[in-house]
Amino acid sequence: MNTQTAPAPQFYLTAPAPCPYLPHEMERKVFTHLVGERAPELNDLLTQGGFRRSQNIAYRPACETCRACVSVRILVNEFRPSRSMRRVLAANADLVAYEYPAEPSSEQYSLFRHYLDNRHQKGGMSDMSVLDYAMMVEDTHVHTKIIEYRLRQEGSGIDERLRGELIAVALTDRMGDGLSMVYSFYDPDRAPRSLGTYMILDHIRRAKALGLPHVYLGYWVKGSQKMDYKVKFLPQEHLLSHGWERYDGKSSA
């Protein structure tokens, strides 16, 4: 009988770098590799502990003087969409979602490139090539799916060749206690649709249908305008020093 235990993950610390969210702050990250048969189990454990996944790396902030990054997860079973969210759902009633294994396509990359060029010209992902995009999607040892959101087209439910225009994509991990939205992007020319909000609402619906209690949104940074949307999906929980604590929009994390 083999009594050897699986090796414990090794953690590493990055060098300081300028914070992408708060000016005049420096960020550091602690990270480990998600590889092998235990990767899904480890990803669950680390995500519940505030880590995020990027390809086969799990990371979380380890900044020396700042604790602004707060992990956020939506409480699926208690969530009720606001009036504005119901309008978003109605505005996108003509969309059809298709779920696939984590495999990239040239159509996805074209949309991804358009999104970056319009929304994140100076971001760390701005120079990603088609190969970089393929690695972002494919380099996973956990339970990952690609969800494509397309305009409804007559006959699209019968013939895959008739599927409508691709306007949004989500890269999503399924975990034991929820769905983790790893990365999502959409057609920036369709701003009135609020596609970012719509994809989160769709993930809440999916998690509820699967009997999963959480949707993980990554980090919220108080004071960062680009992160404000994450705290609109209430109720939710924030990972603080004493563990996950309920946030209903009235208290301050």
Side-chain angles (χ1 to χ4, degrees):
M1 182 176 64
N2 186 357
T3 59
Q4 292 183 340
T5 59
Q10 301 295 307
F11 290 88
Y12 308 90
L13 190 65
T14 65
C19 176
Y21 304 112
L22 298 177
H24 313 302
E25 292 286 350
M26 300 294 289
E27 71 166 0
R28 300 189 77 177
K29 296 176 182 176
V30 61
F31 69 93
T32 189
H33 295 278
L34 293 169
V35 294
E37 294 181 357
R38 294 185 63 243
E41 175 188 350
L42 182 60
N43 186 50
D44 277 22
L45 183 64
L46 292 178
T47 301
Q48 292 161 8
F51 280 71
R52 293 290 287 166
R53 186 182 72 81
S54 177
Q55 296 179 222
N56 67 357
I57 297 290
Y59 68 90
R60 68 168 296 168
C63 306
E64 296 177 0
T65 61
C66 179
R67 296 293 182 270
C69 290
V70 177
S71 293
V72 172
R73 66 185 186 189
I74 301 167
L75 296 173
V76 167
N77 294 325
E78 298 183 56
F79 173 80
R80 298 294 181 274
S82 65
R83 182 178 300 178
S84 64
M85 290 174 184
R86 291 195 294 271
R87 288 197 293 267
V88 170
L89 290 170
N92 291 284
D94 59 343
L95 296 188
V96 181
Y98 300 92
E99 185 176 303
Y100 301 101
E103 298 175 357
S105 71
S106 58
E107 189 180 18
Q108 292 168 17
Y109 179 72
S110 179
L111 180 62
F112 176 70
R113 189 71 264 163
H114 184 42
Y115 174 77
L116 291 182
D117 290 344
N118 281 266
R119 295 298 180 95
H120 299 284
Q121 294 179 348
K122 297 181 180 180
M125 304 174 74
S126 60
D127 60 350
M128 285 181 65
S129 68
V130 64
L131 180 59
D132 295 327
Y133 174 75
M135 290 296 291
M136 182 179 79
V137 174
E138 290 181 328
D139 193 5
T140 174
H141 291 250
V142 302
H143 305 304
T144 306
K145 297 290 185 180
I146 277 279
I147 303 172
E148 294 185 347
Y149 297 87
R150 295 178 177 271
L151 293 174
R152 189 184 305 276
Q153 186 168 315
E154 186 175 353
S156 62
I158 302 172
D159 191 337
E160 188 169 325
R161 294 170 299 176
L162 296 177
R163 291 184 176 178
E165 181 185 355
L166 179 67
I167 65 171
V169 175
L171 182 66
T172 303
D173 289 345
R174 177 173 176 175
M175 307 188 311
D177 73 328
L179 299 178
S180 177
M181 298 186 70
V182 177
Y183 195 77
S184 59
F185 54 94
Y186 52 85
D187 184 350
D189 298 331
R190 299 179 185 270
R193 284 182 174 268
S194 298
L195 289 165
T197 295
Y198 176 74
M199 284 189 282
I200 295 175
L201 292 171
D202 182 64
H203 276 70
I204 294 171
R205 179 193 64 79
R206 289 172 178 271
K208 191 168 186 177
L210 292 167
L212 301 173
H214 304 119
V215 170
Y216 288 82
L217 295 183
Y219 302 118
W220 169 59
V221 180
K222 188 175 183 179
S224 174
Q225 187 174 0
K226 68 175 68 174
M227 293 285 197
D228 284 347
Y229 73 92
K230 295 188 179 183
V231 290
K232 295 179 181 180
F233 299 86
L234 301 172
Q236 57 186 228
E237 290 182 329
H238 292 180
L239 183 58
L240 304 178
S241 57
H242 300 295
W244 289 98
E245 296 187 11
R246 187 183 181 90
Y247 177 85
D248 59 9
K250 300 175 183 179
S251 57
S252 176

